[in-house]
Amino acid sequence: MKKTKAVTGLAALTLMAGLFAGCSSNNNNADNAAATNAGNTGTGTEATAAPEGDAAKDIKGDITVITQRTDIVDTVFKDYAAKFNEKYPNVKVNFEALSSYEDQIKIRMSTNDYGDVLLLPTSVAIKDLPDFFEPLGKMSDLEQQYTGLEERSVDGISYGIPITVNFSGVIYNKQVFKDAGITEVPRTFEQFQTALQNIKDKTDAVPLYTNYAAGWTLTQWEADLATVAGDREYVNIAQVASDDNFVQGQPHYDLYKVMYDAAKNGLIEEDPTTTDWETSKADLANGKIGTMMLGSWAIGQIKGLATNPDDVGFMPFPTNASKILVPLSDDYNLGISLHSKNKEAARAWVDWFINESGYPTTEGGGMSPVKGAELPEILKQFEGTDVTFDTLAPAKAGEEGWVDAIDKEAEIGLWQPDFKKVIIEAAIGNRKDSYDDIMKDLNDKWKAARAKVTAAK
Amino acid sequence: MERLSNLSYKNQRILIIFLFSLVPVVLLLTFSYLPVFKMFQYSFTSWDGFSKNMEYVGFDNYKTIFTKPEYFAVFKVSLYYFFATFVQMGLALYFATILSFNVRLKNWFKGILFFPTLLNGVAIGFIFLFFFKPEGTLNTMLDLVGLGAWQQKWLLNPHLINISLAFASVWRYMGMNFIIFLGAISSIGSDIYEASEIDGANRWHQFRHIIIPSIKKILQLNLILAVSGAIGVFEIPYVMTGGSNGSGTFVIQTVDVAFKYSKLGLASAMAVVLLGIVVIVTILQRVLIKEEK
């Protein structure tokens, strides 16, 4: 009897010890790595740069690359690592893929252990980036080489390079358009609504699939704001300078009016509350859906599901502006953890990944951030037309991150599904408020928050 | 060598008790009390969840919550779940009573009724999402039994969405109530039933005058749990609708504020307020029920 008690007591102790040991084992590894690579660690705030030629062989160490691509981490990324090792034979690259990247990395980042190379989470306030990421260099220098740096730069220093540059607009099924008798790609708001109506009248396809239930898909509309405005300076400069962001005649009003009108006229799916993102891609690919508002990153995925990939087309969002501007914007940016023990190796991976892996155009599905790189195939049709592709103008000096700050303060959620859902609910008659009520409410919030944010700076 | 058996029986007892409670107490402190303490701390800051510096803002967050009506408007949704609670308890009590008597396939029914409790809440969300789809299980079944006219878009209709969701919630949590009631009813001695039968009591009399008074305490406990549960509804609407189409609850709102708008300070304050409400409701119930006696 006594013996059993002693045994159980011991068992309890062992269990406890195991519990704590389990927690700390990671740290031990990290410390060991630190000891062996002590000579290699980068210095605090100075930018690390990748050396050329023979010097590449001197770089060594283990790096962990965290990615959001769970689908290709064991296939394509393995090949990348092998190719990378041809140039840098002494660097061992480990991968970690997070299924819901944004949520999981946020929690990881409250510790010091969040890999060596990772994507900059969009939810980190721009001004806080220096607390988490290694500076990659002066923006003015890097700009010679890359586009899209301004989105994740603080005080002229860049903290990330985009893994691909996306363009946003309408992805549509050409066959459905043909069946509906639409010969010319609609350009203005009216033409677009007419086209949707024609699809409804003449085909069995859903004219515009909102993907309401998935939620995040609705945020893709916000990327088209610059097209509606027809001005690359609108998003970061004109918008923050205005108290009337959501009143009639302003781009935001017109942009979401397209959504409201389509829903109101019954041109969206029958029951938006039970939509399914994965099947929607196949449905668009095979002509059961006419259009969806998405970014270029989706084109590859949808084509992959299509029996005839040539049916999948891209067109700019409708606009009444004098010129058609398709905004280019960063996908995730790639950066280096401030706590990385092998910053040189990490930097080598970042440079190699962006310049030599081919990821930006192949797997990323957009344009390469490297200046002078070739346009993707699907955009060649726009060469010589009045459609221009351009990045958004960065915010004025001292106003960086204001759009984001005002948005969060006001709880509007420009990049959140909430008010888009409200618009759809109102349009299908589930709510009493009219479109103008919703816009007025958003504008009131915007105005109050803008006053607060501009006063604080 | 020091051996456990060298200690006196009393000291061994103390040591063993101490060692055994150490694990749960440490777990409790790390995963319950420390986070709650931190939550109180955060609720006085404007922290965004990332930033290295936490700005102390005093009672600003609380002021925001209590001055903006939209934060409290969502409690209306909780009413649906509150009323569903009574349906849930009624059903649980009904099944528990029936299955405490001799019924054929008794254990099989017990298993069926308890089964939903074992499922993960997220899985249940997905099951019911499919169940309520326009071409989903519910509408198909209605069609099969000739009630095709009753077909609905269960999650689209703003009058039905919360009832549909509350139904899923009832399905999920009834098993737990049921098993607790069943346990309580089983503890009533069979001699009492026998005696009542001799006196000519039927099943209803037995239920009314023996079962109900005997399990009154358990009924109260379940009611308190169910009501505080109704105030803090989260996973079923979150998984199924994400709180859209007027199905948002206070907890969903708190999560949105914290993670969509990066206002961790404000969200912590909302969580503190919710905690306060649950505590108040619980105390209120206890006081009211006591007075009844």
Side-chain angles (χ1 to χ4, degrees):
Chain A
M1 189 64 193
K2 269 177 191 166
K3 216 172 204 170
T4 33
K5 269 187 186 162
V7 168
T8 34
L10 266 175
L13 267 180
T14 333
L15 210 135
M16 287 265 307
L19 217 114
F20 288 113
C23 293
S24 58
S25 64
N26 269 340
N27 294 338
N28 290 341
N29 288 345
D31 288 344
N32 290 342
T36 47
N37 293 302
N40 243 346
T41 41
T43 49
T45 51
E46 256 176 59
T48 47
E52 291 296 318
D54 282 345
K57 296 218 165 54
D58 297 339
I59 299 180
K60 54 184 162 220
D62 271 22
I63 55 168
T64 302
V65 176
I66 305 184
T67 165
Q68 88 284 29
R69 295 300 296 266
T70 42
D71 50 341
I72 53 172
V73 68
D74 291 325
T75 53
V76 179
F77 274 66
K78 284 270 143 62
D79 296 342
Y80 287 163
K83 276 191 206 134
F84 177 73
N85 280 140
E86 285 168 15
K87 197 169 174 188
Y88 300 94
N90 297 320
V91 179
K92 187 171 182 310
V93 191
N94 306 303
F95 296 104
E96 236 181 275
L98 304 181
S99 56
S100 57
Y101 185 80
E102 198 73 24
D103 293 342
Q104 293 178 19
I105 200 72
K106 238 192 242 182
I107 297 161
R108 284 279 287 274
M109 280 173 58
S110 59
T111 70
N112 288 342
D113 174 25
Y114 45 94
D116 298 285
V117 177
L118 70 159
L119 308 165
L120 275 54
T122 47
S123 47
V124 176
I126 310 285
K127 66 173 169 44
D128 288 333
L129 288 175
D131 292 339
F132 298 100
F133 294 96
E134 184 73 10
L136 298 179
K138 278 197 192 132
M139 194 177 129
S140 50
D141 297 339
L142 285 171
E143 244 175 359
Q144 314 294 325
Q145 212 180 339
Y146 302 112
T147 52
L149 293 170
E150 63 284 342
E151 285 188 33
R152 291 284 180 277
S153 290
V154 187
D155 299 330
I157 305 286
S158 294
Y159 291 88
I161 300 169
I163 53 172
T164 180
V165 178
N166 288 321
F167 44 92
S168 296
V170 185
I171 298 182
Y172 69 104
N173 188 301
K174 288 178 183 165
Q175 190 58 43
V176 173
F177 270 46
K178 208 185 269 172
D179 293 345
I182 305 159
T183 47
E184 216 171 299
V185 169
R187 181 194 194 273
T188 64
F189 296 124
E190 289 94 48
Q191 286 168 4
F192 187 70
Q193 292 292 343
T194 320
L196 294 182
Q197 190 65 50
N198 281 338
I199 294 175
K200 189 187 180 184
D201 295 343
K202 293 178 191 161
T203 71
D204 293 332
V206 176
L208 170 68
Y209 200 80
T210 61
N211 257 314
Y212 170 101
W216 61 268
T217 36
L218 292 169
T219 65
Q220 300 291 310
W221 289 67
E222 186 65 28
D224 299 318
L225 182 63
T227 311
V228 177
D231 177 6
R232 68 188 287 266
E233 298 197 336
Y234 184 77
V235 177
N236 292 320
I237 299 174
Q239 187 177 214
V240 287
S242 165
D243 262 344
D244 297 325
N245 198 3
F246 294 89
V247 295
Q248 195 160 6
Q250 291 297 313
H252 261 121
Y253 186 97
D254 293 345
L255 170 64
Y256 290 106
K257 194 79 174 23
V258 175
M259 180 189 273
Y260 181 84
D261 287 343
K264 180 139 194 141
N265 297 330
L267 303 174
I268 62 168
E269 62 269 32
E270 195 186 1
D271 181 3
T273 50
T274 52
T275 60
D276 178 16
W277 160 242
E278 290 300 331
T279 44
S280 78
K281 285 190 287 188
D283 286 350
L284 178 68
N286 298 315
K288 286 185 198 154
I289 290 173
T291 62
M292 292 207 280
M293 307 299 170
L294 291 169
S296 51
W297 53 267
I299 296 173
Q301 294 184 32
I302 294 170
K303 280 195 166 185
L305 296 166
T307 40
N308 179 12
D310 290 338
D311 280 349
V312 181
F314 172 84
M315 68 182 184
F317 196 83
T319 178
N320 287 350
S322 55
K323 66 169 186 174
I324 301 179
L325 169 78
V326 176
L328 299 174
S329 61
D330 292 3
D331 198 294
Y332 270 117
N333 278 37
L334 199 61
I336 300 171
S337 161
L338 196 59
H339 302 285
S340 166
K341 302 282 193 269
N342 294 303
K343 284 176 185 157
E344 280 189 331
R347 182 61 198 260
W349 173 264
V350 170
D351 288 337
W352 184 87
F353 186 76
I354 304 286
N355 288 295
E356 292 171 49
S357 72
Y359 178 91
T361 44
T362 54
E363 299 299 329
M367 287 170 44
S368 168
V370 181
K371 284 204 168 153
E374 208 187 344
L375 280 181
E377 199 60 37
I378 201 159
L379 291 189
K380 294 208 171 127
Q381 56 168 315
F382 294 110
E383 276 175 4
T385 63
D386 62 343
V387 178
T388 52
F389 290 81
D390 203 352
T391 52
L392 301 177
K396 279 190 198 155
E399 294 185 1
E400 291 97 347
W402 275 23
V403 177
D404 190 48
I406 297 172
D407 180 40
K408 285 199 167 129
E409 176 60 40
E411 290 179 27
I412 289 173
L414 293 173
W415 291 96
Q416 298 291 347
D418 303 49
F419 79 79
K420 289 101 183 164
K421 286 189 163 185
V422 170
I423 289 171
I424 293 175
E425 285 158 20
I428 58 180
N430 274 11
R431 279 170 171 270
K432 286 194 194 76
D433 18 6
S434 68
Y435 185 69
D436 285 299
D437 293 340
I438 297 167
M439 286 294 132
K440 186 179 177 303
D441 177 50
L442 291 176
N443 203 56
D444 290 347
K445 284 183 182 167
W446 175 271
K447 202 168 167 181
R450 184 175 169 266
K452 212 167 165 184
V453 169
T454 48
K457 306 283 158 148
Chain B
M1 203 186 111
E2 192 75 24
R3 288 173 62 128
L4 197 60
S5 51
N6 293 344
L7 297 170
S8 74
Y9 179 66
K10 199 181 159 209
N11 283 342
Q12 280 184 30
R13 237 172 74 116
I14 292 171
L15 185 68
I16 297 284
I17 289 173
F18 174 76
L19 281 176
F20 269 84
S21 10
L22 199 62
V23 179
V25 167
V26 167
L27 288 176
L28 192 69
L29 286 178
T30 355
F31 295 109
S32 280
Y33 290 95
L34 184 68
V36 170
F37 173 74
K38 280 279 177 196
M39 181 177 83
F40 274 98
Q41 207 182 350
Y42 294 151
S43 74
F44 294 106
T45 67
S46 62
W47 194 41
D48 63 1
F50 276 121
S51 206
K52 297 277 174 195
N53 51 330
M54 263 182 233
E55 206 182 321
Y56 179 77
V57 293
F59 280 93
D60 266 13
N61 288 329
Y62 292 94
K63 236 186 269 167
T64 314
I65 297 171
F66 287 111
T67 48
K68 280 196 183 164
E70 65 250 41
Y71 285 115
F72 277 102
V74 285
F75 273 113
K76 262 185 277 173
V77 175
S78 293
L79 288 178
Y80 286 95
Y81 294 91
F82 178 74
F83 288 117
T85 293
F86 293 99
V87 177
Q88 180 183 327
M89 300 248 306
L91 282 172
L93 192 57
Y94 174 74
F95 286 123
T97 311
I98 289 187
L99 291 179
S100 68
F101 297 120
N102 277 327
V103 194
R104 210 170 290 164
L105 293 176
K106 192 165 149 180
N107 285 327
W108 187 75
F109 278 114
K110 277 186 201 167
I112 294 270
L113 287 170
F114 187 65
F115 172 68
T117 314
L118 302 172
L119 287 180
N120 181 302
V122 179
I124 290 181
F126 282 112
I127 292 171
F128 275 91
L129 201 54
F130 193 77
F131 184 74
F132 287 127
K133 271 191 175 198
E135 68 280 16
T137 324
L138 182 56
N139 280 340
T140 316
M141 276 195 0
L142 284 176
D143 208 25
L144 279 180
V145 298
L147 291 174
W150 288 20
Q151 283 187 352
Q152 288 284 344
K153 296 200 179 70
W154 299 98
L155 297 181
L156 184 68
N157 187 331
H159 304 292
L160 282 179
I161 179 165
N162 283 314
I163 297 171
S164 307
L165 293 176
F167 173 78
S169 167
V170 166
W171 186 83
R172 163 151 207 217
Y173 290 107
M174 196 199 70
M176 200 65 212
N177 286 341
F178 161 75
I179 217 80
I180 294 174
F181 285 140
L182 194 69
I185 294 173
S186 311
S187 71
I188 304 168
S190 56
D191 46 340
I192 302 181
Y193 292 119
E194 278 168 30
S196 66
E197 263 165 37
I198 292 167
D199 287 343
N202 61 17
R203 286 283 193 240
W204 169 248
H205 291 138
Q206 285 177 343
F207 175 72
R208 175 79 184 75
H209 298 288
I210 299 173
I211 295 178
I212 290 289
S214 311
I215 62 163
K216 205 171 159 196
K217 274 266 177 290
I218 300 293
L219 262 174
Q220 286 170 7
L221 176 80
N222 263 344
L223 192 70
I224 291 172
L225 288 178
V227 170
S228 41
I231 297 169
V233 180
F234 173 64
E235 54 190 15
I236 285 180
Y238 193 76
V239 172
M240 289 177 64
T241 65
S244 50
N245 204 8
S247 65
T249 67
F250 193 72
V251 185
I252 291 181
Q253 206 175 30
T254 309
V255 171
D256 282 354
V257 167
F259 299 109
K260 280 187 181 165
Y261 304 109
S262 295
K263 292 183 179 175
L264 221 92
L266 181 60
S268 297
M270 289 171 76
V272 171
V273 169
L274 184 70
L275 182 71
I277 293 173
V278 171
V279 168
I280 290 169
V281 168
T282 313
I283 293 175
L284 216 66
Q285 270 179 330
R286 296 222 137 188
V287 170
L288 289 178
I289 289 170
K290 248 190 198 142
E291 275 174 0
E292 248 175 45
K293 277 188 181 170

